[in-house]
Amino acid sequence: MSKPPYFDRYANLAFEREDGVLVMRFHTDGGPVVFTGQTHEDLPPALEEMSLDRDNRALVITGTGDVFMDKIDGPSLGEIFKPAAWEKTRSEGAKVLQRLLELPMPVVGVANGPAIVHSEYLLLADVHIASVRATYGDFPHPEFGITGGDGVQVVWDEIAGTARAKWLLWTGESIDAQTALQWGVVNEVVPHDAALRRGVEVARTLAGKPALYRTLQKQTLNANLRRRIIQDVPYGMALEGLTAADLPYQDAT
Amino acid sequence: MSKPPYFDRYANLAFEREDGVLVMRFHTDGGPVVFTGQTHEDLPPALEEMSLDRDNRALVITGTGDVFMDKIDGPSLGEIFKPAAWEKTRSEGAKVLQRLLELPMPVVGVANGPAIVHSEYLLLADVHIASVRATYGDFPHPEFGITGGDGVQVVWDEIAGTARAKWLLWTGESIDAQTALQWGVVNEVVPHDAALRRGVEVARTLAGKPALYRTLQKQTLNANLRRRIIQDVPYGMALEGLTAADLPYQDAT
Amino acid sequence: MSKPPYFDRYANLAFEREDGVLVMRFHTDGGPVVFTGQTHEDLPPALEEMSLDRDNRALVITGTGDVFMDKIDGPSLGEIFKPAAWEKTRSEGAKVLQRLLELPMPVVGVANGPAIVHSEYLLLADVHIASVRATYGDFPHPEFGITGGDGVQVVWDEIAGTARAKWLLWTGESIDAQTALQWGVVNEVVPHDAALRRGVEVARTLAGKPALYRTLQKQTLNANLRRRIIQDVPYGMALEGLTAADLPYQDAT
Amino acid sequence: MSKPPYFDRYANLAFEREDGVLVMRFHTDGGPVVFTGQTHEDLPPALEEMSLDRDNRALVITGTGDVFMDKIDGPSLGEIFKPAAWEKTRSEGAKVLQRLLELPMPVVGVANGPAIVHSEYLLLADVHIASVRATYGDFPHPEFGITGGDGVQVVWDEIAGTARAKWLLWTGESIDAQTALQWGVVNEVVPHDAALRRGVEVARTLAGKPALYRTLQKQTLNANLRRRIIQDVPYGMALEGLTAADLPYQDAT
Amino acid sequence: MSKPPYFDRYANLAFEREDGVLVMRFHTDGGPVVFTGQTHEDLPPALEEMSLDRDNRALVITGTGDVFMDKIDGPSLGEIFKPAAWEKTRSEGAKVLQRLLELPMPVVGVANGPAIVHSEYLLLADVHIASVRATYGDFPHPEFGITGGDGVQVVWDEIAGTARAKWLLWTGESIDAQTALQWGVVNEVVPHDAALRRGVEVARTLAGKPALYRTLQKQTLNANLRRRIIQDVPYGMALEGLTAADLPYQDAT
Amino acid sequence: MSKPPYFDRYANLAFEREDGVLVMRFHTDGGPVVFTGQTHEDLPPALEEMSLDRDNRALVITGTGDVFMDKIDGPSLGEIFKPAAWEKTRSEGAKVLQRLLELPMPVVGVANGPAIVHSEYLLLADVHIASVRATYGDFPHPEFGITGGDGVQVVWDEIAGTARAKWLLWTGESIDAQTALQWGVVNEVVPHDAALRRGVEVARTLAGKPALYRTLQKQTLNANLRRRIIQDVPYGMALEGLTAADLPYQDAT
């Protein structure tokens, strides 16, 4: 089985596959990822390609080094205060989450460290393993002065409960792996060095199920989350875009 | 029964009441209304007051002279391209439609002429009477270059069907009373001079029902429309606000 | 194939079956039905039995003589102003409509004359044939001074459009077969004597489809109506029960 | 009050009633139940009869001996790989859960031991008491190679949160009573011998409420769960049926 | 900035404001509040005024002395067994919760003691601080023999999970602050004397965000709760009204 | 502006573009299309490419010669009776309709003749023009003995009303252009030779609107249809797959 072309197509996505378990690792030049507009643009086609490649039987999503994701390159996102530019981000954002949820295979999220940017990528996973060093929160939205409507609000609401989600996302606080376990956000907390290995191990087990079982069990277990993502993300990102568009006028408010 | 204070409180709303039938007439200085930001701001408190006044047993909504509503004073709406300013319009707009639908009494809409601004006020009515001279459409949104998400998209969709709604609101066309009757948008088309009289006559009959019947029949028959208005108008107006916020940058798109 | 016991179990329901087409005819002593509390109570178990009898491949619902249903025996419904008594009606009413929609076979409604009581039984059908003498409306609810939330509000809304439904159910008017055809409520209007024969003919064609096709096509085509019936009828009948409970106090309102 | 006929009608359901508290106990020949196609077929009519018997003021559901339910007789379910046969299971399954939720009385679930088959029967209860020996999971679906869409996916999602539900149902793991308590799935964990007694005690208190209160409080507190069960179980069981239908071809996938 | 007129308009609502943080304190003559029909009637207009006052940047809701709310004056609610009278309560109740959720600013709930009446006012807050002496439950509904459909069923369901909500509201039990913290209902438990101070501190931080951010983040994080409140409270209160209307007949049930 | 590569990539899709109006024409070897599994597989990537190409300002969808679509090559769809094979069709089908609705531009459907295969492609358009020779229906599903759950059930329900949709899809009848106009399915019926020209003319007008207006007006006007497509097509196609899987066993039913 030769290496599919998409393995090398995307700057911030590294792929490895063994026994049908695809590992997708976020990175920047081989180190912890700095999330950019390019990363955002690349995710929808990458997910589409992963989805159509029937050699992928299960997926592991993780970060590089000791970080899942904790840096974002604001300027790379473009002039998000212009609604026509924002629409690109909004459209991509909605596609990313929907395609993640509609992958025809189980996904294991491995939080190999802080996940304070796009934690929803992990929370949408079917099984979620955390290193003891993982932490969770949402820093970019408050930092940029824009609301967090890209899906982060949906996953925390559905998974941690409404009151905990509102506290986390209003205050900008973050929580550690143990708290995430107690909140039901994480399924297992493991020693730092064991996180990826454990994630692959779980994925391997799931990859052993029949193809149609994997595809339809995925749909069965994510039906409600999919409904909410599809309904609430386009709305949340419209509100987010309004706060972005307001930035140039903000002294006046 | 003395005249309630709200009868004289709002510049563009004239009120008369006989036998429990309240007639609310849009006007500007006694002539056809030019819809302004003030009209928009006044509607939510006016509807709240009408709602709490138990002497109102049925409501007729109409325009002045030969026009329901066909003029809008754009500048009076304020700097709608600034999202913080738009939020005022958005919040008021959502309240207007919800409060209209939640009035504890039947509403008869009387189209006494062109209704090409805020036709949704008529389409939300429980019974809808049209003068032969009535016409329906949506000119301000395309004119201003902003999308029509203030509820006009919901009522036409639910009442005329999706395909007719999309045609009407994409093309900027308008339809006459007879077409509206055939589409199921209007319940009766009557001679021009008879429209208000016929509307009041219907309202008088409905006003004769017991109080709780009027309130709960209203809720029963509007349950689906209310669900859609409450769900889709905040979203529609967020999109509309994004198109407004984009206007200053539009050469760039 | 011997006659199933339920063919003779219910006072107001006559059954005949030929070639898998079951005809259920409402009647009272062989003449036009006077709908009673007993009829209401009998429908849920009758529908359950019809549903489980795999010899039924299609169903025709009709009335007796020149009337579908135009009389209701108010007192037979019991002390509906007492909420604990109303709960029986409410629970039965919700079951009737849901079971009608969930029958594992197509249903042809035949309006053999006025259908001004429980017209929703016909409007829920998969194909709807009307005699030229059919008329449609809702007289019992306004007559009893109680709101119409038993499903009549849902079917007219979904089938005839919101504006026509509100007009019909607020005003107590009725419409003839030709109008119902134009509104999309009825699929064919036929000479009076031909109505049942035509209904059976259509049912016979549909009965010829494979069993699973009939069951799943039914579910496919009624998914939205089922969602609305299940959601809105329990609410509508709660409101209806409140108006009933208010009757003894009504001078005070 | 004589014993109702349904007390003796169903092979796997034992009934006892004292002071309006009906105890329904799953069993096979007086010992722990082996769930069969017959059990599944019997539940909808049994629940209908229990629902209509106004002498039932509260219900306790439990198992026999030291087991709630941990065995299932696969072959007794019939040729579930044939979609027309599956439709029987699918239709019954949807009825069971809906009728459980729509019983006009509170239900106390008593987990008297392992509940690794149809745990949703317990999770749908209004109050849930567990023996310290109770365990929860879903073994039959993965065992049979079919997805778990019969409602087990809905109750775990709503009650334990999406992330815990997905982990439990993907991995085939099970959890003990103490974990279930911490997850908010169980309300009280009691010594093994006290479980049924405690369940009956709670049921007795609830049985003391007025009839209409019991019926409508039930509906009030289960409105969301009912909506999800009614919407998602027919879909989940369709997907489950597809995996069943795929079994004969599975070498090819 | 002079004191707004509404600060002194409502008998049971005391207002203070510093640096844009409005504190609304329930009280009766300066002591712990006894909730009355007047309190209920006052809340919708009070919330509307608070909403329109742009000097309010964040809101704290709390009680007086050592009690959030634990007393209710039943007779002051009027003849709630008459549905036409109940409709007033029902309409106000629906408005209160919706307006709370639609305030254009973050709300901090401070449970300064028992919250066993209208705990939903606290659970709808964006951040929820509890004194160690806080307790939570619902005593008035069971006490009055009416179901709890005024929103208490929705917030406990969404925030604490379905199984815990059903247990709490069926049994009439109450839980302490520490349990509420573990259930994810409360975000912080603090020493009794520190509760209000901590609540104001959190509110002050949130008040520092830009105006549009506060408004739209509020909407983003409460989208699902709003949907459920708007959908389920009118229904829940209809059922509640039926149990109230049944009280005069209750010997007969 | 050079020709984009996707113009030549797909066997059954011909593309032309003038002034930002893209015309996508179904064909087989330049004549009327015979729909195949390849066509189905090609549509999702084609729509994705069309969506990302910002030179497309409006889209016209039409057929070749005197036929929109009336032939389907059954065997080319593969072994659809095997659920694992069906899943490919099901997944593609859901993508096609969702991507059609989410194109960031208005779509004009031109029915240049019979549209009795995949009529939903036309009914999802924003404006729908028909040649006088157009006809509409659904022949492949009944022909193949499988239910029609690929979206055809949703569009006819939302656009023509529930009763007309059920009649059309149960009976296998078809309707002509004039009837479609009267049902509100088609917006204009034009002489046969003028259909495409008129469609392009309308598209050209819509293409003249600003980019963001086109994108967001599209979303505004299709919000409800999108919700239904996304919710009901995966379910409908699961049921359809069950009927397909049942075909090999059908003598037994």
Side-chain angles (χ1 to χ4, degrees), chain A residues 73-88:
Chain A
D73 173 353
S76 77
L77 301 175
E79 298 177 303
I80 61 170
F81 59 91
K82 295 184 181 173
W86 175 256
E87 184 60 18
K88 177 173 181 294

Side-chain angles (χ1 to χ4, degrees), chain C residues 32-225:
Chain C
V33 71
V34 179
F35 194 89
T36 68
Q38 189 63 46
T39 325
H40 204 254
E41 184 176 316
D42 284 350
L43 278 165
L47 287 161
E48 181 83 354
E49 294 192 272
M50 293 153 69
S51 162
L52 294 171
D53 180 348
R54 294 178 56 87
D55 291 329
N56 296 327
R57 301 177 59 88
L59 172 68
V60 173
I61 294 180
T62 192
T64 298
D66 298 338
V67 168
F68 177 71
M69 209 179 281
D70 67 353
K71 289 200 170 53
I72 186 163
D73 174 354
S76 77
L77 301 175
E79 298 177 306
I80 61 170
F81 58 90
K82 295 184 180 173
W86 176 256
E87 184 60 19
K88 178 174 181 294
T89 298
R90 184 169 165 266
S91 162
E92 289 168 6
K95 282 182 187 173
V96 171
L97 299 205
Q98 187 176 341
R99 290 184 184 180
L100 254 173
L101 270 183
E102 294 183 351
L103 284 172
M105 71 198 77
V107 176
V108 177
V110 174
N112 62 315
I116 58 178
V117 174
H118 284 308
S119 60
E120 71 273 18
Y121 296 168
L122 291 169
L123 273 79
L124 288 171
D126 293 286
V127 175
H128 183 176
I129 309 292
S131 151
V132 290
R133 295 201 208 153
T135 58
Y136 299 86
D138 175 38
F139 96 85
H141 292 105
E143 175 92 355
F144 297 168
I146 61 178
T147 50
D150 59 355
V152 75
Q153 84 278 22
V154 173
V155 294
W156 284 95
D157 188 17
E158 283 295 320
I159 295 173
T162 300
R164 282 168 170 161
K166 292 202 282 192
W167 172 83
L168 188 79
L169 299 175
W170 267 116
T171 63
E173 301 278 354
S174 64
I175 59 171
D176 62 17
Q178 206 54 46
T179 305
L181 181 70
Q182 192 213 321
W183 285 16
V185 168
V186 158
N187 301 118
E188 287 183 40
V189 177
V190 297
H192 186 60
D193 291 342
L196 182 56
R197 194 170 57 239
R198 176 61 183 147
V200 169
E201 186 179 52
V202 172
R204 196 179 304 263
T205 310
L206 301 179
K209 312 270 181 184
L212 190 64
Y213 177 89
R214 283 180 281 114
T215 299
L216 299 188
Q217 181 80 339
K218 175 86 179 186
Q219 294 178 40
T220 299
L221 297 183
N222 288 287
N224 188 53
L225 207 47

Side-chain angles (χ1 to χ4, degrees), chain E:
Chain E
M1 190 188 311
S2 66
K3 200 170 64 169
Y6 67 84
F7 274 35
D8 297 319
R9 209 192 306 277
Y10 304 105
N12 302 124
L13 306 175
F15 292 98
E16 278 183 274
R17 184 167 57 198
E18 200 176 337
D19 299 337
V21 174
L22 181 71
V23 177
M24 180 179 91
R25 189 167 44 77
F26 287 100
H27 75 98
T28 293
D29 300 331
V33 72
V34 180
F35 194 89
T36 68
Q38 188 63 46
T39 324
H40 205 254
E41 184 177 315
D42 284 350
L43 277 166
L47 287 161
E48 180 83 354
E49 294 193 272
M50 293 153 68
S51 163
L52 294 171
D53 179 349
R54 294 178 58 86
D55 292 328
N56 296 327
R57 302 177 59 88
L59 172 68
V60 173
I61 294 180
T62 193
T64 298
D66 297 338
V67 169
F68 176 72
M69 209 180 280
D70 68 353
K71 289 201 170 54
I72 186 163
D73 174 353
S76 77
L77 301 175
E79 299 178 305
I80 61 171
F81 59 91
K82 295 184 180 173
W86 175 256
E87 184 59 19
K88 179 174 179 294
T89 297
R90 184 168 165 268
S91 162
E92 288 167 6
K95 282 182 187 173
V96 170
L97 299 204
Q98 187 176 342
R99 290 183 184 180
L100 254 173
L101 270 182
E102 294 184 351
L103 284 172
M105 72 198 77
V107 176
V108 177
V110 174
N112 61 315
I116 57 177
V117 174
H118 284 308
S119 60
E120 71 273 18
Y121 296 168
L122 291 169
L123 273 79
L124 288 171
D126 293 285
V127 175
H128 184 176
I129 308 292
S131 152
V132 289
R133 294 201 208 152
T135 58
Y136 299 86
D138 176 37
F139 96 84
H141 292 106
E143 175 91 356
F144 298 167
I146 60 178
T147 50
D150 60 355
V152 75
Q153 84 279 22
V154 172
V155 293
W156 283 95
D157 188 17
E158 282 295 321
I159 294 174
T162 300
R164 283 168 169 161
K166 291 202 283 192
W167 172 84
L168 189 79
L169 299 174
W170 267 116
T171 63
E173 301 279 353
S174 64
I175 59 171
D176 62 16
Q178 206 54 46
T179 304
L181 182 70
Q182 192 213 321
W183 285 16
V185 169
V186 157
N187 301 118
E188 288 182 39
V189 176
V190 297
H192 186 59
D193 291 342
L196 181 56
R197 195 170 55 238
R198 176 61 182 147
V200 170
E201 187 178 51
V202 172
R204 197 179 304 263
T205 310
L206 301 179
K209 313 269 182 186
L212 190 64
Y213 177 89
R214 282 180 282 114
T215 298
L216 298 188
Q217 180 80 340
K218 175 86 180 187
Q219 294 178 40
T220 299
L221 297 183
N222 288 287
N224 188 53
L225 206 48
R226 174 177 177 269
R227 191 158 42 213
R228 289 218 44 208
I229 286 288
I230 286 177
Q231 186 68 20
D232 290 349
V233 171
Y235 178 46
M237 291 199 80
L239 299 183
E240 191 173 334
L242 286 167
T243 51
D246 195 50
L247 293 174
Y249 308 109
Q250 209 138 88
D251 294 342
T253 61

